[in-house]
Amino acid sequence: MGERATIRDVAARAGVSVATVSRVLAGTYPTSAGSRAKVLRAAKDLDYVANAHARALAGAGRKTIAVLMLDVVSSFYAAVAQGVEREAAQHDRFTLVASTGADPARELALVQMMREQATEAVVLVGGVVEDAEYRERMAQYAQSLAAAGSRLVLCGRPAPAPDVPAVVVEYDNEAGAYAVTSHLLGAGHRRIAMIGFQPGNTTGEDRVRGYLRALEDHGVPASDALLHGIGFGQHNGDEAIRGLLDKCAGKPDFTAVFAGDDRVAAAAIKALAEYGLRVPRDISVVGYNDDPVAADITPGLTTVHIPGEEMGRTAVRLALGGTDRTGQRRRLLGTHIVVRDSVRRLTP
Amino acid sequence: MGERATIRDVAARAGVSVATVSRVLAGTYPTSAGSRAKVLRAAKDLDYVANAHARALAGAGRKTIAVLMLDVVSSFYAAVAQGVEREAAQHDRFTLVASTGADPARELALVQMMREQATEAVVLVGGVVEDAEYRERMAQYAQSLAAAGSRLVLCGRPAPAPDVPAVVVEYDNEAGAYAVTSHLLGAGHRRIAMIGFQPGNTTGEDRVRGYLRALEDHGVPASDALLHGIGFGQHNGDEAIRGLLDKCAGKPDFTAVFAGDDRVAAAAIKALAEYGLRVPRDISVVGYNDDPVAADITPGLTTVHIPGEEMGRTAVRLALGGTDRTGQRRRLLGTHIVVRDSVRRLTP
DNA sequence: CTGAAAGCGCTAACAA
DNA sequence: TTGTTAGCGCTTTCAG
């Protein structure tokens, strides 16, 4: 107990050489039925399993793919992780998961570790504040990973520079925001508030841009008074709505709210209810992400679906240089609106 | 590019032996400032990182812990995974995540693989159907893992048998169910329906047991007509409510609903709304899990908090034989009610 | 303080 | 078909 059997033990018990054992176990080489049987028998008796490290050292063995993200519990990250895990499993790879907790230092340490592990690819997930420091850090990761025969995959993050050896998988935040905003506009809304986005964060800013562009294309003037950022997450939805409503003594000067993500939207709905405002009767609300919560709340939330799992899958497919017809190193995934019951059509 | 530098390259460049390089880099042995500097320099120049596999083979290196679960996206599983990952990181371990998709064959294959990886522990998460086959399977895992110097940790799953070498971390499903049901009873409810649990699944059955026991202790007769199982998850909440309501032509013969989990509860609230029934005005609803959705929906859902992350942490702590004063191999974690706004006090 | 050398467990030539 | 043997890259005695 505690000491696992080695290939030598199996060979001894089966009365053959270690090479023969290796061959029948790998199955990649002709062996006589006799030795095969003996070896299999011995292996079973000893409850033998090969040492993956030795195997890896000798140049064979299963490869692994690493996913690094802020946390594992946000539904979007979880979806990406699941996509990576599933696709990796299909390609006979393992998935190593680690969370960075938004700490660049820890991220760096993890990238190093993954390099030591000889992971085939390192997938970094999640929106970030895109500054010069960020770009340089990514470029460095990509370089050192590439030098070690691995590669960097950026998921839902901006690409650092065209010549940096990284794979990038994104989804179109701006287009999605444009689409939901247009949906609201199409339903007759003109005074549309946008809340719950983090200034500086790429994801949030892209969404704001889509919102603004939709407004402009429909000839509706944007108003700073209706823009209420701060950040994603539940808390911010509540605060944003109160901020908006307190300005006008509870008599809203908007008919619809576009929340930066679904949890913000849920919180907004809650806050509205406290002011006696019901959705969609009094105010229409749309969100972003198609988080599970969007389908769970009452009324069902109209939102933008983002392909989390698909991103994860695409990430590993591209990383493995798989069957991607285009052979591109950059991929933009589409989003689409999911219409539920949180938008009311205005009939003027 | 593609060929990583080895310790020999570093030694050559620094003009010392590989042994010296190893010592300097490990830092666990006295070395002269001179060599130290040369080695560090060379390592940096070559962008050298040690090969984790070689290191592991040689008996050193970072250990890893594996988590195997149904999927990564359910919030409870994600929370457990996060707990494992964080605690493991604190103990300087890696976390390998894989999903079984409820397939025993895949589960078996994964346990084998993890054994090959020489993972220090394998954590299995999630409620299951507890039958003889299950017990035997777990016993086998535990044996073969133990034989390989690893160990099995069961999280939120029943223990196989007292003599099986496994660590078990559970939480008290029955007590939690007893508590919320009592909460409802205490608010004056007598006709309490229970929906959304999977017959045969240990988690669900424990919850039903707690519900039944609370009813009995309060002298309230249980009624089969108010028990509507089927399974966890969103779909089932909807169906269950319709089933209940259609039986009585939309005029409910119950005043409260205890849903097997929060997503079922959310779906129930939605279905009730379609019948014109509002929560908590017309019907009170409670859930289980304290899923993020419980806080997000309107009204906030009163539910039972289960310590997902804490379970993950405890799992690795016990697995590593850490600072657990009791030295136990089995641990029952507590749950507690989170009171929000989905229960109305009945004043008769 | 440092170097030489013996493995860790496995795979893959190379011979037989 | 099978055995022998030389590594894979690193750590760690054991000498010096």
Side-chain angles (χ1 to χ4, degrees):
Chain A
M1 193 114 9
E3 278 320 301
R4 32 195 296 187
T6 76
I7 197 173
R8 240 182 293 279
D9 299 326
V10 178
R13 185 173 240 268
V16 298
S17 73
V18 295
T20 302
V21 175
S22 174
R23 294 199 261 254
V24 339
L25 261 26
T28 160
Y29 217 78
T31 41
S32 75
S35 351
R36 164 172 235 79
K38 282 188 294 185
V39 169
L40 258 23
R41 188 75 224 290
K44 178 145 295 175
D45 288 351
L46 266 30
D47 200 14
Y48 169 82
V49 286
N51 179 322
H53 295 303
R55 193 174 259 173
L57 229 207
R62 183 170 277 107
K63 298 269 202 290
T64 119
I65 291 187
V67 199
L68 269 37
M69 47 197 168
L70 200 77
D71 70 67
V72 193
V73 294
S74 315
S75 62
F76 171 62
Y77 293 144
V80 175
Q82 170 140 298
V84 169
E85 198 273 332
R86 291 196 170 156
E87 189 72 25
Q90 260 173 37
H91 291 269
D92 211 48
R93 263 85 169 171
F94 277 129
T95 305
L96 218 42
V97 170
S99 57
T100 60
D103 175 4
R106 179 157 166 73
E107 181 182 271
L108 173 60
L110 283 168
V111 169
Q112 291 288 16
M113 289 185 206
M114 293 317 167
R115 203 144 72 90
E116 294 183 4
Q117 296 295 312
T119 50
E120 216 172 348
V122 176
V123 182
L124 253 39
V125 188
V128 292
V129 175
E130 182 183 15
D131 52 17
E133 190 273 325
Y134 163 79
R135 288 167 191 284
E136 194 186 334
R137 193 150 42 92
M138 290 309 119
Q140 210 137 57
Y141 291 170
Q143 297 297 358
S144 76
L145 248 13
S150 179
R151 65 196 352 172
L152 178 66
V153 182
L154 267 18
C155 237
R157 288 190 170 199
D163 59 319
V164 170
V167 173
V168 178
V169 181
E170 295 173 282
Y171 59 94
D172 202 333
N173 271 310
E174 184 176 339
Y178 184 90
V180 251
T181 309
S182 298
H183 178 74
L184 248 17
L185 259 0
H189 294 273
R190 287 296 170 271
R191 300 284 299 170
I192 303 172
M194 165 141 201
I195 66 173
F197 52 89
Q198 189 175 26
N201 180 94
T202 52
T203 304
E205 301 222 310
D206 287 349
R207 291 177 188 178
V208 173
R209 197 169 308 123
Y211 159 80
L212 258 16
R213 194 159 56 78
L215 251 33
E216 191 182 334
D217 285 3
H218 287 254
V220 174
S223 152
D224 275 354
L226 292 180
L227 223 44
H228 205 296
I230 299 181
F232 291 130
Q234 199 186 348
H235 172 67
N236 300 301
D238 186 74
E239 194 174 314
I241 287 297
R242 289 179 198 287
L244 246 28
L245 253 25
D246 287 347
K247 260 191 299 200
C248 45
K251 197 89 189 75
D253 59 342
F254 52 87
T255 63
V257 175
F258 172 16
D261 72 34
D262 294 339
R263 301 203 61 200
V264 168
I269 291 174
K270 229 168 160 153
L272 287 167
E274 285 181 31
Y275 283 82
L277 265 13
R278 291 182 53 192
V279 175
R281 197 193 57 190
D282 307 310
I283 301 280
S284 293
V285 175
V286 299
Y288 211 113
N289 283 11
D290 199 17
D291 187 293
V293 75
D296 285 343
I297 60 178
T298 308
L301 185 68
T302 290
T303 185
V304 179
H305 178 81
I306 60 179
E309 169 148 6
E310 187 55 29
M311 287 184 75
R313 303 198 94 113
T314 303
V316 348
R317 243 179 270 133
L318 288 187
L320 300 184
T323 37
D324 198 36
R325 8 180 168 40
T326 65
Q328 277 188 48
R329 315 290 306 234
R330 184 165 182 287
R331 188 71 160 275
L332 188 68
L333 264 28
T335 58
H336 63 265
I337 298 196
V338 178
V339 177
R340 295 204 178 88
D341 316 304
S342 61
V343 174
R344 173 170 160 228
R345 168 164 290 280
L346 257 36
T347 45
Chain B
M1 193 118 6
E3 277 322 298
R4 35 195 294 190
T6 76
I7 197 175
R8 240 183 293 278
D9 300 327
V10 178
R13 185 174 241 265
V16 298
S17 73
V18 296
T20 301
V21 175
S22 174
R23 287 175 187 132
V24 169
L25 263 25
T28 160
Y29 216 81
T31 41
S32 75
S35 347
R36 162 170 236 80
K38 282 189 292 185
V39 168
L40 259 22
R41 186 76 222 291
K44 179 144 294 176
D45 288 351
L46 265 30
D47 200 14
Y48 170 81
V49 286
N51 179 321
H53 294 303
R55 192 172 263 174
L57 228 206
R62 183 172 273 106
K63 297 269 198 295
T64 120
I65 291 186
V67 199
L68 268 35
M69 47 197 167
L70 199 78
D71 69 68
V72 193
V73 293
S74 314
S75 63
F76 170 61
Y77 293 143
V80 175
Q82 171 139 298
V84 169
E85 199 273 333
R86 290 195 171 156
E87 188 71 26
Q90 260 173 36
H91 292 268
D92 209 47
R93 263 84 171 173
F94 276 128
T95 304
L96 220 40
V97 170
S99 56
T100 60
D103 175 3
R106 180 158 165 74
E107 182 181 271
L108 173 61
L110 283 169
V111 170
Q112 292 286 20
M113 287 184 206
M114 293 319 167
R115 204 144 71 89
E116 295 183 4
Q117 297 294 314
T119 50
E120 215 171 350
V122 175
V123 182
L124 254 37
V125 189
V128 291
V129 174
E130 181 182 16
D131 52 16
E133 189 274 325
Y134 163 79
R135 286 168 192 284
E136 194 186 334
R137 193 150 43 92
M138 289 310 118
Q140 210 138 56
Y141 291 170
Q143 296 297 359
S144 76
L145 247 14
S150 179
R151 66 196 352 174
L152 178 67
V153 183
L154 268 17
C155 237
R157 286 190 171 199
D163 59 318
V164 170
V167 173
V168 178
V169 181
E170 296 173 282
Y171 58 94
D172 203 334
N173 271 310
E174 185 177 339
Y178 184 90
V180 250
T181 308
S182 298
H183 178 74
L184 248 16
L185 259 1
H189 294 272
R190 288 296 171 267
R191 301 285 300 168
I192 303 171
M194 164 140 201
I195 66 173
F197 52 88
Q198 190 175 25
N201 180 95
T202 53
T203 303
E205 301 221 310
D206 287 349
R207 292 178 188 177
V208 172
R209 198 169 308 123
Y211 158 79
L212 257 16
R213 194 159 57 79
L215 250 33
E216 192 183 332
D217 284 4
H218 288 254
V220 174
S223 151
D224 275 355
L226 291 179
L227 223 46
H228 205 296
I230 298 182
F232 292 130
Q234 200 185 349
H235 173 68
N236 301 301
D238 187 74
E239 194 174 311
I241 287 297
R242 288 179 199 289
L244 246 29
L245 254 25
D246 287 348
K247 260 193 295 200
C248 46
K251 197 88 188 76
D253 58 343
F254 51 87
T255 63
V257 175
F258 173 16
D261 73 33
D262 293 339
R263 302 203 61 201
V264 167
I269 292 175
K270 230 171 159 149
L272 287 167
E274 283 180 31
Y275 282 82
L277 266 11
R278 290 179 56 192
V279 175
R281 196 193 56 189
D282 306 310
I283 301 281
S284 292
V285 175
V286 299
Y288 212 112
N289 283 12
D290 199 17
D291 188 292
V293 75
D296 286 343
I297 61 177
T298 309
L301 185 67
T302 290
T303 186
V304 179
H305 178 79
I306 59 180
E309 170 148 6
E310 188 53 32
M311 288 184 75
R313 302 199 96 114
T314 304
V316 348
R317 241 178 272 133
L318 288 188
L320 300 184
T323 37
D324 196 39
R325 10 180 167 43
T326 65
Q328 277 188 48
R329 316 290 306 234
R330 184 164 183 288
R331 189 68 161 274
L332 187 68
L333 264 29
T335 57
H336 63 265
I337 297 196
V338 178
V339 177
R340 297 204 177 87
D341 316 303
S342 60
V343 173
R344 175 172 158 227
R345 168 164 290 281
L346 256 35
T347 44

